[in-house]
Amino acid sequence: MRQTIANTKQKEAGDRFFEWDAKVFYFEGLRCLQLCNFASKFTIVMALVTDDMIKRLPEYIFEYLYDVYAGDPQMKKLIDRYLADNTIMFFDKLADRVTISSMNHFQVYFMDDGDRFYDFAEGNLIRTRALNKKVNCDY
């Protein structure tokens, strides 16, 4: 597995389209996650994140991509191509100050340090699909 990761890292080096960052934050003491693509700044917010969800992050990323762009057949083809070209996904320590700043700004100004989840709460559920559509289509 280490060799596969090293090969993927070398192949994708410098291509910000394949680079994602993950940032943990907390809402009412529960772990949440913000994911951001370096090239597009496409952002995914996940609430109440479990260890199992972290192990399956690539699945969630593509699920949210397909969901946000469900009505756009051209984007669906691009996502299919991205998925075909991107067979492995891993996260490395973030050193890109622009992306760090962008993610911090998003967390403070859009997410209101997590309080924005209240706008998407229904009982004990948080409608993250609606939140992610709002983030990527209206923000």
Side-chain angles (χ1 to χ4, degrees):
M1 182 60 124
R2 288 179 194 250
Q3 187 60 46
T4 303
I5 290 173
N7 291 343
T8 302
K9 193 172 182 177
Q10 181 179 5
K11 176 184 136 191
E12 296 175 355
D15 188 345
R16 295 176 65 81
F17 187 67
F18 289 105
E19 294 181 30
W20 289 81
D21 183 41
K23 179 181 179 186
V24 174
F25 66 98
Y26 292 87
F27 171 68
E28 293 190 357
L30 299 169
R31 181 173 50 187
C32 301
L33 202 58
Q34 176 189 353
L35 303 161
C36 181
N37 179 272
F38 282 21
S40 68
K41 299 296 185 238
F42 185 91
T43 299
I44 297 169
V45 179
M46 298 173 65
L48 316 175
V49 176
T50 64
D51 290 342
D52 182 58
M53 291 169 75
I54 289 174
K55 291 175 187 173
R56 297 177 41 221
L57 274 181
E59 292 174 46
Y60 285 104
I61 289 172
F62 287 102
E63 182 180 318
Y64 281 114
L65 282 168
Y66 281 120
D67 188 56
V68 168
Y69 293 111
D72 188 336
Q74 185 176 6
M75 280 302 292
K76 185 182 178 309
K77 286 180 186 178
L78 291 172
I79 295 167
D80 289 342
R81 195 169 107 203
Y82 183 97
L83 184 57
D85 290 346
N86 194 23
T87 57
I88 186 171
M89 186 177 281
F90 61 91
F91 294 87
D92 205 354
K93 183 176 179 176
L94 180 62
D96 183 309
R97 291 178 187 253
V98 172
T99 301
I100 292 169
S101 177
S102 178
M103 292 183 80
N104 288 340
H105 184 272
F106 174 82
Q107 182 181 340
V108 170
Y109 293 101
F110 181 82
M111 287 303 298
D112 196 18
D113 286 327
D115 286 348
R116 183 67 179 240
F117 283 130
Y118 289 118
D119 296 342
F120 294 89
E122 284 184 2
N124 292 334
L125 299 175
I126 296 174
R127 296 176 302 119
T128 53
R129 289 181 186 269
L131 170 62
N132 285 305
K133 285 181 182 178
K134 180 82 170 167
V135 168
N136 292 290
C137 299
D138 297 336
Y139 178 63

